[in-house]
Amino acid sequence: MGLLPHKKALCRPLALVLTCALMCALGAGCQQTDEKHETTIFAMDTVMTLTVYGDGERIGGQEALDEMVETIYLLESRQDATREDSEIARLNQSGGETVPLSGETADLLGQALELCALTGGALDITAYPAAETWGFTTGEYRVPSDAELEELAGRIDYTQVQLGSSGELLPTATLASDVELDLGAVAKGYAGEQLGAYLKRVGITSALLDLGQSTIQAVGGKPDGSPWRIGIQDPAGEGYLGVLELEDQAMGTSGGYQRYFEEDGVHYWHIIDPATAAPARSGLASVTVVGPSGLTCDGLSTALFVMGLEEGTAFWRAHRSLDFDVIFISDDGSVSITPGLEGSFSLADGYQDREVTVLS
Ligand code: AMP
Ligand code: MG
């Protein structure tokens, strides 16, 4: 062992903080405690970038990153409906038989079903056959006939999913045989929420988890103590329309620009209106939800996109106890935000003349 303590440990113990600050002030060369660890992976059908600053009390930042990547792949292998051997695929192929679930999948499924009920079925995890028929899960895009859509809409019904437990209290689920589900609307937010809680448990205080397609989990703020600054995509362009400051919060965005195909000049996107089995056309181009729960932000962004501005605002008013804020961007480019974001949302350069309505 050398005479000097380990570089990364130099500033960490509380007793050394003042000494360290003094050394920095005197220009004596303070070592950084907030080393950046970052990785980019492809998982859950999107690109994810996980960034962690510094180390935890008993785990290094890099090690925590590795653990998180393993967890994401594990959750994906269990929860991705398009993977033949996943728990969800087994449930979809069960023909009405009861299927055992892991604790995490049962937890996610239970919370997703609660959100389906809360949103009056605007979020409906059994929209899967419709998403599949339109080609959003396979890339083989096509516009189904009216008769097909009617048949598909008749099969969207989250109340046909039953959670239960086996004799040994292991979680199970049962699905009506003509119904299929997918957790794509909530899985990334759930993963972010789990990983954010893990980082807090191991004592990492600054991290930004980008779970793809504007699904973000922020742990603390930046290493310098300022909030994370997240760009909000202009749904009608390439750039960022606004900037949102986040600290210890999650964010989820659902937008028609994220995944779509075009036929005869019409855009068809991946967010399905459960009432019609067709892409939701509610007058909104994107919805961003901010709050403490990643799963809630992810699920509600999808649901509020289906509802539209008026119904979505009424939902927000009626569910203030859920603790979430919203940025609605309409087809005509107008922006509406809930008052909780007045101090943390700002328009980006080039969008300064855009009118922002604060909802009440
Ligand atoms: P998100 O990108 O979080 O808005 O979720 C969209 C994904 O969830 C789609 O790719 C579909 O797999 C699925 N989905 C589409 N519409 C709905 C809906 N109304 N409720 C639940 N899941 C949906
Ligand atoms: Mg979502």
Side-chain angles (χ1 to χ4, degrees), residues 24-90:
C24 290
L26 295 172
C30 181
Q31 301 293 338
Q32 278 249 307
T33 58
D34 49 22
E35 190 183 344
K36 180 177 177 179
H37 308 274
E38 189 169 83
T39 192
T40 296
I41 59 168
F42 187 83
M44 301 188 183
D45 208 18
T46 189
V47 178
M48 302 185 173
T49 300
L50 312 177
T51 312
V52 164
Y53 288 87
D55 298 322
E57 279 134 26
R58 288 179 304 278
I59 191 168
Q62 184 58 45
E63 213 184 320
L65 210 52
D66 296 343
E67 292 265 342
M68 289 196 292
V69 169
E70 238 178 78
T71 301
I72 290 171
Y73 287 141
L74 180 70
L75 292 175
E76 181 187 33
S77 73
R78 290 175 173 170
Q79 297 170 355
D80 184 344
T82 64
R83 287 172 70 135
E84 248 177 53
D85 54 346
S86 76
E87 294 172 26
I88 299 302
R90 261 184 270 147

Side-chain angles (χ1 to χ4, degrees), residues 47 50 70 77 96 118 130-131 134 189 232 235 265 272 275 307 315 335 348 350:
V47 178
L50 312 177
E70 238 178 78
S77 73
L118 199 71
W134 282 91
I232 302 297
I272 303 288
M307 289 182 196
F315 179 89
V335 181

Side-chain angles (χ1 to χ4, degrees), residues 324-342:
F324 68 99
D325 278 288
V326 193
I327 305 168
F328 294 100
I329 305 179
S330 300
D331 284 341
D332 64 5
S334 58
V335 181
S336 304
I337 63 171
T338 52
L341 298 181
E342 267 190 287

Side-chain angles (χ1 to χ4, degrees), residues 123 184-186 253-254 297-303:
L123 182 76
V186 284
T253 299
S254 292
C297 291
D298 196 358
L300 285 188
S301 66
T302 310

